[in-house]
Amino acid sequence: MNKSATIYVAGHRGMVGSAIVRQLLGAGYAPESIITRTHAELDLTNQAAVRNFFAAEKPSQVYLAAAKVGGIHANNTYPADFIYQNLMMQANVIDAAFQNGVQKLLFLGSSCIYPRQAPQPMAENALLTGPLEPTNEPYAIAKIAGIKLCESYNRQYGASHGVNYRSVMPTNLYGPGDNYHPQNSHVIPALIRRFHEAKVSGAPSVAIWGSGTPKREFLYVDDMAAASVFVMNLPKATYEQHTSPMQSHINVGFGSDITIAELARSVGQVIGYQGDIDFDSTKPDGAPRKLMDSNRINALGWQAKVNLHDGLGLAYQDFLHQTGC
């Protein structure tokens, strides 16, 4: 690792971006070598602003963790925002990076890039083999475009300009910096809020949408940050040995999944909720299973470290801190 490199972390206030900053600082990078900008300081959908930023700062590496994200409700309500804003941010940052001599860039995608009916666990070669989940298709299309942007710049400018842009696809993430909004959050932060409020109010039961039978995989965000830095710093020959020019992304998962019912019981246990859990099977379940095949990154030498029980405890402490409870 080049500890003297100047590194731009796009999206440093988000859950993943802030974890990447923590990981870099913990690995010995100097605070002054990490470049960040808030949305108020730099609107990544503004092409001219992004170009001016790169021309002035000249980072040597980029972690592209900035994205508009949300759960099913948000994706269904704002599909145009999700596809437009993510496409623009990615295109602006990746091209400005290239135009200003950045040779190393890491793009962070999402497990929703894979077809809704992809074989489980979902391997990298499942990309573009079938229809996507309709509820988050616009977001998924944008993320797929980000992968293909990186691959296209590598193919066109890798030999001539030393461009080496990589992509990692995380499974469902949770942990410090998560969004605990009552409507627009993902499943773990939503459950943490719901069980905490039920505990405080003394509610006799908590209602959970769906049957509780679908299975999901969850990865603690600091493990994802560690994986991101790990992949960014792999030797070029090693990365290319485990990928191909038009299938260059790498999955990052925990390695196992649990049912939503098991997850709900685990969250309730961590929070200390003593009431009942009711599953409303009249509500949609979503995909029956979403498990990532992480054999590729495991073979490269990376493994997740934080188990779900410990991670949920850390996430609950973050919720209490964020909400002032």
Side-chain angles (χ1 to χ4, degrees):
M1 290 192 281
N2 178 11
K3 299 294 178 65
S4 63
T6 53
I7 304 171
Y8 171 45
V9 180
H12 76 287
R13 283 189 167 179
M15 178 171 62
V16 181
S18 60
I20 289 173
V21 171
R22 288 196 299 274
Q23 182 69 26
L24 292 171
L25 292 173
Y29 288 89
E32 58 269 20
S33 70
I34 301 173
I35 304 166
T36 60
R37 291 293 187 275
T38 65
H39 177 72
E41 293 169 330
L42 177 61
D43 179 359
L44 296 180
T45 66
N46 183 323
Q47 186 181 69
V50 174
R51 288 181 172 179
N52 290 339
F53 163 77
F54 271 88
E57 294 294 335
K58 295 287 186 182
S60 56
Q61 296 182 16
V62 174
Y63 287 86
L64 182 40
K68 180 176 179 61
V69 299
I72 292 177
H73 173 79
N75 274 272
N76 261 335
T77 307
Y78 310 108
D81 291 349
F82 274 87
I83 192 167
Y84 173 79
Q85 292 183 29
N86 283 299
L87 283 172
M88 293 300 291
M89 286 189 280
Q90 296 161 189
N92 290 340
V93 170
I94 292 170
D95 185 68
F98 167 72
Q99 297 293 342
N100 287 277
V102 175
Q103 293 184 322
K104 297 190 71 175
L105 179 146
L106 188 77
F107 171 71
L108 283 86
S110 166
S111 62
C112 70
I113 64 168
Y114 294 116
R116 187 180 190 278
Q117 298 295 335
Q120 302 292 316
M122 299 180 292
E124 286 86 353
N125 61 10
L127 183 65
L128 298 176
T129 60
L132 299 164
E133 163 61 38
T135 56
N136 58 18
E137 183 191 70
Y139 177 74
I141 290 290
K143 287 298 183 181
I144 293 169
I147 298 171
K148 294 303 175 182
L149 271 169
C150 290
E151 290 178 351
S152 298
Y153 277 77
N154 289 342
R155 291 168 60 206
Q156 187 168 342
Y157 299 114
S160 60
H161 291 72
V163 168
N164 186 10
Y165 295 171
R166 304 173 179 183
S167 301
V168 285
M169 300 298 117
T171 188
N172 300 296
L173 301 174
Y174 70 100
D178 212 336
N179 168 26
Y180 300 95
H181 189 277
Q183 279 82 43
N184 295 338
S185 59
H186 290 101
V187 59
I188 283 183
L191 289 175
I192 286 174
R193 172 178 282 276
R194 195 173 303 172
F195 277 100
H196 173 79
E197 291 176 347
K199 176 186 174 183
V200 171
S201 67
S205 64
V206 171
I208 307 295
W209 273 30
S211 66
T213 58
K215 301 186 79 173
R216 295 291 183 267
E217 177 186 29
F218 300 97
L219 182 69
Y220 189 64
V221 70
D222 285 73
D223 275 343
M224 180 61 207
S228 298
V229 175
F230 174 83
V231 170
M232 174 72 99
N233 289 294
L234 283 171
K236 189 171 187 288
T238 303
Y239 188 84
E240 291 178 347
Q241 180 184 352
H242 289 79
T243 60
S244 63
M246 296 185 69
Q247 193 183 101
S248 65
H249 61 288
I250 294 180
N251 289 344
V252 185
F254 181 74
S256 61
D257 53 4
I258 64 169
T259 67
I260 295 299
E262 291 170 324
L263 174 65
R265 285 191 286 269
S266 294
V267 172
Q269 181 183 23
V270 165
I271 290 173
Y273 176 70
Q274 302 295 322
D276 296 328
I277 302 174
D278 298 328
F279 294 94
D280 184 354
S281 58
T282 66
K283 298 293 193 294
D285 269 338
R289 193 181 190 196
K290 286 182 67 177
L291 175 65
M292 299 281 266
D293 182 338
S294 298
N295 285 331
R296 181 175 290 181
I297 194 169
N298 295 156
L300 285 163
W302 177 89
Q303 293 279 345
K305 294 180 178 179
V306 181
N307 66 56
L308 185 62
H309 184 271
D310 292 344
L312 288 175
L314 294 166
Y316 183 45
Q317 293 305 311
D318 178 65
F319 167 78
L320 295 174
H321 175 74
Q322 278 200 43
T323 58
C325 294

